[in-house]
Every structure is written in structure tokens, then in C-alpha cells.
Amino acid sequence: MKTRRVCSLISAMLFIALMVAGCAGVTPAPEATSLSMVTVSDIHSNILPYETKVEKDGEKVEVVVGGMDRIAALAETQEGLADGSLLVSGGDNLMGFFYKTFDGVPEIESMNMAGYDITCLGNHEFDLGTEACGKAMKNAEFDIVSSNLTVTEPGLASLVKPYVIKETAGVTI
């Protein structure tokens, strides 16, 4: 539960930072520009969907969770509804057996295919150490950000930026 709160806090801070940066000294967007930001966190290597039960209105109901194809479909739908869009992860994309067995390649490659723009590093990216994290993240075709880490492992340090500036639909964020 604590990890979820931290990831939610990181996602919220990223969103606020993106919005504040987008307002600082940039030309205003054209009239009627709509933007969409899809944020995801805590994938925990669940790139395939699975069924689980959750409590809703006092009773257990089955829901489908996870699945990079579902994330990609949502992002594509939002992209079609807005003038500009971003797909962002708050971290904890990598975890467990899948990460350990395949070095994070399926997770990062599926994020590439889904069209991610930015990801933060979560605590689970470091479950196998900084070298393993760097090995996985070197496959990323999206920006990797963290402003509260000092990364000393050279392979990973070269990939992580303290911030990024994005432009979508003529709006700088």
C-alpha cells in the first residue's frame, strides 16, 4: 500500500511539474486546444491482462486488469479525441519473475509499441539492482525521468534525465 501511495505521489508530482513547466514563459496555445494525458503506474510486469476480484458496493466482482494492449488502446482513443496527448508512467513497470527472466525487455518493448512518452523510475525497477535496471531501460524509446535520484551506475545514469520538455499540439509542457 505504501508503494502505491509513493507511486501515486510521484505521478501527481510529475503531472503538476509538467503543468507548471508548461505555463512558464511559453506562447499560449491556440484557441480551443485540447490535451489528454494518460497516466499509468504500477504495471509490475503485467503486460498481459488478467482477471481478479475487487470489492464494489460491498460485494466481490471480477475485473480484468493489466495488459499493455489495453493501455495502448486507451492512449490511442484519447489521442483521437484530443489535439495533443501524452502517455506517461509513474514507475514500477518492472517486477518479479518476468523481469528477472527476460531482463525487462518485454515490458520496455511493449511500452515502446504502446507509444509511451515518459516514464519515471519506481522502486521496483531497482529490485534486481541498478545494472539490471539500466540493461532494461536502454531499450526505451521514451524519456526516463527522475529528479530525486543520484544514479551512479554509468549505463543507467546516461539514460535518466531530471526533467524533459515535450511539445504536443503546439503546446510546450
Side-chain angles (χ1 to χ4, degrees):
M1 204 56 158
K2 188 175 183 180
T3 300
R4 250 189 216 157
R5 281 188 228 130
V6 169
C7 289
S8 293
L9 179 60
I10 289 169
S11 292
M13 289 175 11
L14 175 63
F15 179 76
I16 291 167
L18 287 170
M19 292 300 112
V20 169
C23 295
V26 291
T27 307
E31 290 283 327
T33 298
S34 63
L35 301 176
S36 171
M37 183 182 294
V38 177
T39 62
V40 180
S41 66
D42 300 290
I43 294 171
H44 295 156
S45 294
N46 290 307
I47 60 174
L48 300 174
Y50 65 94
E51 289 184 5
T52 190
K53 290 187 178 187
V54 298
E55 191 168 319
K56 181 180 178 185
D57 298 329
E59 60 182 85
K60 295 276 186 174
V61 295
E62 283 195 14
V63 295
V64 177
V65 297
M68 195 57 68
D69 58 335
R70 297 173 70 227
I71 294 167
L74 174 64
E76 187 176 332
T77 298
Q78 289 302 306
E79 190 175 298
L81 296 173
D83 298 321
S85 66
L86 292 173
L87 176 55
V88 178
S89 172
D92 282 353
N93 303 304
L94 309 172
M95 191 174 102
F97 172 79
F98 211 63
Y99 178 26
K100 186 174 183 177
T101 304
F102 300 106
D103 298 322
V105 172
E107 296 93 321
I108 300 303
E109 289 298 329
S110 66
M111 291 174 73
N112 288 337
M113 290 189 287
Y116 272 81
D117 296 292
I118 307 168
T119 190
C120 293
L121 294 175
N123 63 305
H124 288 294
E125 273 75 42
F126 297 99
D127 286 354
L128 304 177
T130 54
E131 190 175 323
C133 180
K135 187 176 180 181
M137 292 298 167
K138 74 176 183 190
N139 298 303
E141 296 171 2
F142 44 84
D143 291 308
I144 303 163
V145 297
S146 180
S147 60
N148 64 348
L149 287 177
T150 302
V151 182
T152 57
E153 197 281 315
L156 183 58
S158 67
L159 302 172
V160 180
K161 302 170 187 169
Y163 66 91
V164 294
I165 298 172
K166 294 287 188 181
E167 186 173 318
T168 181
V171 178
T172 302
I173 301 172

